[in-house]
Amino acid sequence: TTLDRSSIRLFRFSQGADGGLVGELHQFELRSAPPFLAASYAWGTKQFTKLIRFQSGSLLILANVADFLGMVASHQDFSPEKDWWFVDSICINMNNDDERETQVNIMDEIYGRSRRTIVWLGNEQEAESDCRGAIPFLHQLSNMKEALDSSKALRRQIRGEEFTEHWKAVGRLFSRPWWTRVWTLQEFIIPEGVKLFCGPRSINRGDFKLAMYCIERCNGMDDKSMPRAAFDAAWNRRRIHQWHKKVGRMNLIAILAYLGNHMATDARDRIYSVRGLITGRDKRLVNHADYQISTERVFAGLVRDFWEEYMSLDIICFAHSFNRYSGNLDSDLGLHHQNLPTWAPDWRAHIQSSPVPLMVSQSASESIGNFRPLKYRSYKAVYNAPGPQLRSLANVEFLRNLKEMMCDGVIIDYIDGLGSIEGCDTRCQSNVCKNGGHTMVQPTRIQEAAVNNKTNLTFLEDLKRICRALVLDRKDKYLRFRAPDQYFSDFLLLCYKCTYGYDTDVDRTFKIWFEENKDLIVKGINGMSDTTVFDDLPPPSAHLSAFVNNTNVESATEEDTFLNRLHDTVNKKSRRLLITDKGHIGMAPCRAKKGDVAVVLFGCSVPLVLRRVGTREAWQVIGEAYMDGFMDGKVGRWIKKG
């Protein structure tokens, strides 16, 4: 019988002396089902290595599931003949699209009703992944929280050579596929109880979270102890569970962006797999899983539905990173992905996880937001480029085929020059940039500016604008507060050090950025290498507010400093300076080009860079932009003045 939205299949089994599995499979009403355990695991390659025999016939099971059931059959924590189990690949007929859809739509309820979810991370020893010692070491760390908090010496000791193999084992454990599969997130977050197994060894979710805290406290994610990507995969689970437990439901778009490094066999599951975690308003955007709709239409339809629900186009800014030019899409999807319009984020792109990937992820955003630590909930700063009056005049329309979108807005100016971010170790994965690079493009129109306009005051103001652009005019990585004046003093000091050769202690990223951009012409002035103007500027502060001399961007702290914000903007967000025809300054997407336009769409909180295509007035979305002076409603004042 095909399952409906109110029913579920469960099974229990036993293992014979010959190792064969025999089970019984029954259908229940979900709300009256007996207590059951739910399994969470990575399917892996679809290799079927073992049979489980039921009264109605035999079923081939996945190799990973066979290993899991073998562990369960012999482990003292379980009573296989008595315990009822939910294992999706056994309990759902995946060849029946209707049944698959109905079960996907209640997956959060299934895992929420389980008495415990058992996470299967695989055997302790697998090909090229020896995790022996990982679980015991995590237990050891989980019991050391207070001691590690109070003793710097102990934190150093636990990073010593005698523990090297333990750290490596944990890194291999966190590198296993389960941590980056989209469906396993919901299965880890929702259940009341969760226990993670690697072979016969286990750790419960609470102790795992304590261990993760201690790893972070010991700076155990510096690529020496374990790969940063492995740490991030496990840390993200902890952070999202913390948020879900203390705040509640989360914003869909923030989750989609945060899981940019996750994998899904069916791209539509990037959205469907998190339905159980998102807010009630966002659930209206994803009413139910429908595998009859193409991936392209699901992604484009999400933009339309987001607009209708929130009267906001901020979602289109995610095409900045999630787009057809991402390296994995160019290679994985060939020409098929080109059916997706440029204003629709392509969530198939593999993007490194970040709690605040874009400016529209600002803490002030109720429709998107970010996964900042809970102690950073408050905020004061808000990007609102169109201002409150123009938002109601956006006049947004979508064609029925979801190939085109229309929106009213204002063109600020054309991009005339672009700064360089060559050598800055950016996270850019675009094949466009891979082929074309991030080299400086000198402006041509503003070189015609009169030399007599070159005044110290003008240059000082331009340096302030460049400084604000480099930190997106924000003090903190979660975009909660405006940048303080001290950041300009820090910027000026760094420029002095680089200009006059006192740069031995200057941060590596800034030194490279300065060398690449010092000759960028701004308003006819020969950039930051024009020392004749520099000489007459007021002296900067003698010291940086909080100097960070760190060549490893990822290990920079969350401290609010100019350099950390520079790293966020240039390294993590891959932004480059832009100069427009009229001398406006900002930060552009790394794949922006000379001749692109900076615009404010009335439905979007931040400016965008667009590129004209075709013979009629049609535009491609390149990505969001910081435009100094245009982030808080200036275009509205323009229009008011005529």
Side-chain angles (χ1 to χ4, degrees), residues 276-289:
L277 302 175
I278 60 180
T279 65
R281 291 188 72 178
D282 279 354
K283 271 199 170 182
R284 293 202 285 266
L285 311 181
V286 193
N287 188 35
H288 67 281

Side-chain angles (χ1 to χ4, degrees), residues 249-254 278-286 302-315 365-369 391-392 394 396 602-605:
R249 301 281 178 165
M250 293 161 278
N251 292 330
L252 171 63
I253 308 306
I278 60 180
T279 65
R281 291 188 72 178
D282 279 354
K283 271 199 170 182
R284 293 202 285 266
L285 311 181
V286 193
L302 181 60
V303 176
R304 176 200 59 201
D305 296 342
F306 187 89
W307 164 254
E308 292 176 352
E309 179 65 34
Y310 293 105
M311 294 292 108
S312 169
L313 287 178
D314 285 357
I315 185 176
S365 173
E366 295 182 1
S367 58
I368 295 177
R391 277 190 173 273
S392 61
V396 176
F602 297 160
C604 192
S605 298

Side-chain angles (χ1 to χ4, degrees), residues 485-502:
D485 293 340
Q486 179 65 47
Y487 282 8
F488 178 57
S489 188
D490 294 348
F491 174 63
L492 210 56
L493 175 58
L494 289 165
C495 290
Y496 264 73
K497 283 176 173 284
C498 292
T499 299
Y500 296 109
Y502 304 113

Side-chain angles (χ1 to χ4, degrees), residues 374-636:
L374 299 177
K375 62 182 178 180
Y376 297 143
R377 294 287 303 280
S378 63
Y379 61 87
K380 290 185 178 180
V382 181
Y383 295 127
N384 188 5
Q389 286 77 29
L390 293 181
R391 277 190 173 273
S392 61
L393 304 177
N395 194 26
V396 176
E397 295 182 32
F398 295 86
L399 294 187
R400 290 187 63 183
N401 64 6
L402 294 179
K403 297 294 184 183
E404 295 183 6
M405 177 193 76
M406 284 72 72
C407 179
D408 289 345
V410 170
I411 293 177
I412 298 173
D413 202 1
Y414 285 79
I415 294 176
D416 188 31
L418 290 161
S420 170
I421 49 176
E422 286 290 306
C424 290
D425 298 327
T426 70
R427 289 183 176 178
C428 171
Q429 298 176 349
S430 170
N431 280 331
V432 172
C433 297
K434 182 179 180 181
N435 297 329
H438 298 130
T439 56
M440 184 172 64
V441 179
Q442 282 287 14
T444 53
R445 293 178 64 86
I446 60 173
Q447 290 190 48
E448 302 166 5
V451 175
N452 59 13
N453 283 336
K454 185 175 80 171
T455 64
N456 296 346
L457 179 62
T458 300
F459 188 51
L460 182 63
E461 288 303 313
D462 283 340
L463 284 175
K464 287 181 179 179
R465 294 161 69 203
I466 290 172
C467 176
R468 285 195 297 266
L470 287 172
V471 298
L472 307 178
D473 194 24
R474 289 296 179 263
K475 175 183 179 182
D476 60 299
K477 71 181 294 183
Y478 303 109
L479 311 178
R480 300 161 59 228
F481 304 107
R482 296 286 291 269
D485 293 340
Q486 179 65 47
Y487 282 8
F488 178 57
S489 188
D490 294 348
F491 174 63
L492 210 56
L493 175 58
L494 289 165
C495 290
Y496 264 73
K497 283 176 173 284
C498 292
T499 299
Y500 296 109
Y502 304 113
D503 58 357
T504 55
D505 64 342
V506 171
D507 173 82
R508 174 181 174 273
T509 296
F510 185 87
K511 190 187 300 187
I512 293 171
W513 178 88
F514 183 86
E515 189 63 30
E516 288 288 320
N517 292 280
K518 65 182 181 180
D519 295 321
L520 184 66
I521 295 173
V522 182
K523 286 189 175 178
I525 300 173
N526 199 26
M528 289 165 281
S529 63
D530 194 338
T531 57
T532 59
V533 181
F534 242 126
D535 290 341
D536 296 328
L537 291 178
S541 61
H543 303 285
L544 291 179
S545 55
F547 188 68
V548 179
N549 183 19
N550 197 325
T551 57
N552 184 350
V553 174
E554 285 298 345
S555 63
T557 70
E558 292 192 352
E559 292 178 3
D560 295 336
T561 68
F562 168 78
L563 284 173
N564 281 342
R565 299 294 73 77
L566 173 80
H567 288 165
D568 286 341
T569 305
V570 174
N571 299 100
K572 297 178 182 179
K573 292 182 173 64
S574 305
R575 307 299 175 88
R576 58 199 301 199
L577 277 174
L578 71 83
I579 312 293
T580 73
D581 286 358
K582 297 175 183 176
H584 300 304
I585 294 173
M587 295 298 285
C590 56
R591 61 188 179 94
K593 294 180 179 179
K594 184 183 182 73
D596 291 343
V597 296
V599 307
V600 172
L601 298 185
F602 297 160
C604 192
S605 298
V606 301
L608 290 160
V609 171
L610 304 181
R611 183 171 299 155
R612 193 162 188 164
V613 293
T615 55
R616 62 194 183 94
E617 195 169 350
W619 306 86
Q620 285 183 347
V621 174
I622 304 303
E624 64 172 20
Y626 173 86
M627 294 299 297
D628 193 64
F630 291 90
M631 304 302 292
D632 60 354
K634 183 174 183 177
V635 293

